[in-house]
Amino acid sequence: MSSDAEWARYCSDDAEEDPDKRQMSVLRSYDGVKGMARITYYVVVPFVRMPDGGLLGLNAEEAPSQAHAEIRAFTRIGALRGVDTIVGAIAFSRSGDPPTGHFEDAVILARYGETPDDLERGGW
């Protein structure tokens, strides 16, 4: 999209029927580069304790907002996942431009319970 008018036209008529367009219209912002779509994803990763004592991250869960991600991470502690108990969880965000594949580093929003020590070093 080369202009705001084109973007408005793209989002207006069929945004209600197309969830992807609706989401893009809500999450889109500019990071200083004209026309660069920027989307922020909010994600929760719960952890369980492995038999060897290490932590294992389970499937990431996308959340609709920062607040939802933080609450979901907190409420995962102590929940059962099969035979395992979730011992920790993190909530993080990641912003970028999906069409170009350019994304910033993840930002940890919240950590609850037991989480890996190497999260800040990108070891996850």
Side-chain angles (χ1 to χ4, degrees):
M1 310 277 147
S2 61
S3 73
D4 289 332
E6 286 180 33
W7 178 255
R9 194 168 36 257
Y10 174 78
C11 292
S12 62
D13 296 334
D14 53 348
E16 289 303 315
E17 292 98 42
D18 188 339
D20 292 330
K21 289 182 183 178
R22 187 171 55 246
Q23 181 181 21
M24 287 287 290
S25 67
V26 171
L27 297 175
R28 184 174 183 265
S29 65
Y30 288 103
D31 67 352
V33 178
K34 183 69 175 163
M36 183 173 172
R38 181 180 165 90
I39 294 179
T40 299
Y41 293 99
Y42 299 97
V43 181
V44 174
V45 177
F47 293 91
V48 295
R49 174 78 50 205
M50 296 188 312
D52 67 1
L55 294 172
L56 173 67
L58 300 176
N59 290 337
E61 306 168 10
E62 190 171 352
S65 70
Q66 178 176 341
H68 280 93
E70 292 175 8
I71 291 168
R72 189 175 293 170
F74 180 75
T75 59
R76 292 296 183 258
I77 307 301
L80 294 177
R81 184 78 106 198
V83 296
D84 297 314
T85 300
I86 295 175
V87 296
I90 61 165
F92 69 91
S93 66
R94 190 142 187 240
S95 298
D97 182 17
T100 65
H102 181 266
F103 280 86
E104 298 171 4
D105 290 338
V107 175
I108 297 175
L109 304 170
R111 295 171 70 152
Y112 299 106
E114 300 177 51
T115 59
D117 294 331
D118 60 353
L119 290 176
E120 282 76 22
R121 295 190 308 271
W124 49 290

